[in-house]
Amino acid sequence: MVDRPEVALDELYREVVLDHHRRPRGRTPLPRVDARAHGLNPVCGDEIHLHLSLDGDRITGVEVQGRGCAICTASGSMMAEVIPGHTEVEATAFAEVFRNVMHGKVVPPDVDMGDLEALEGVKKFPVRVKCALLPWVTLVDALRAWRNGATEGTATTETEEANP
Ligand code: ZN
């Protein structure tokens, strides 16, 4: 009997995604909201209300509300776990790396994707890529709005396509 580790890995990844879907992180309302954005993925119907708190340019809290499919919810949950503690510039760069990975590029050796690795297989399904990217498109938009002194950003996955 030949061992097939790639199958076991698939199972593991599925478990990681399902765990984030069942118990999404970042659902606790933030005591203070410094940046926000509303994100929409019309293809799937995913909708996100993203709140951020910042201390200077460092993100101290991420709150993700809304309704999404398993992929979108898991991706938002992973974002809520990985982004706090990073600066606005670092978070934007991380979002860019994840977007590149979803579009087929390899993960740079110096980047630790954390649980987001579990979503890498999604890149084979272009329609689901939008689901995985929605939280990140919304994050970038919230940070852009914050930088520009706007009260709220509005992101859609069409925005994502328009800016390759
Ligand atoms: Zn979706």
Side-chain angles (χ1 to χ4, degrees), residues 4-59:
R4 298 178 61 199
E6 75 277 11
V7 173
L9 203 61
D10 266 5
E11 289 293 323
L12 178 70
Y13 280 175
R14 194 173 302 130
E15 274 311 304
V16 171
V17 172
L18 284 177
D19 180 62
H20 277 277
H21 175 228
R22 287 194 202 105
R23 300 185 302 111
R25 283 58 143 181
R27 291 281 165 150
T28 312
L30 297 173
R32 200 189 76 220
V33 176
D34 298 301
R36 66 179 74 218
H38 174 221
L40 204 61
N41 172 19
V43 176
C44 177
D46 306 312
E47 186 171 18
I48 279 186
H49 292 276
L50 179 70
H51 294 168
L52 304 173
S53 58
L54 291 100
D55 182 7
D57 67 349
R58 196 169 293 277
I59 298 162

Side-chain angles (χ1 to χ4, degrees), residues 41 44 46 69 72 128 131:
N41 172 19
C44 177
D46 306 312
C69 65
C72 178
R128 308 321 298 273
C131 302

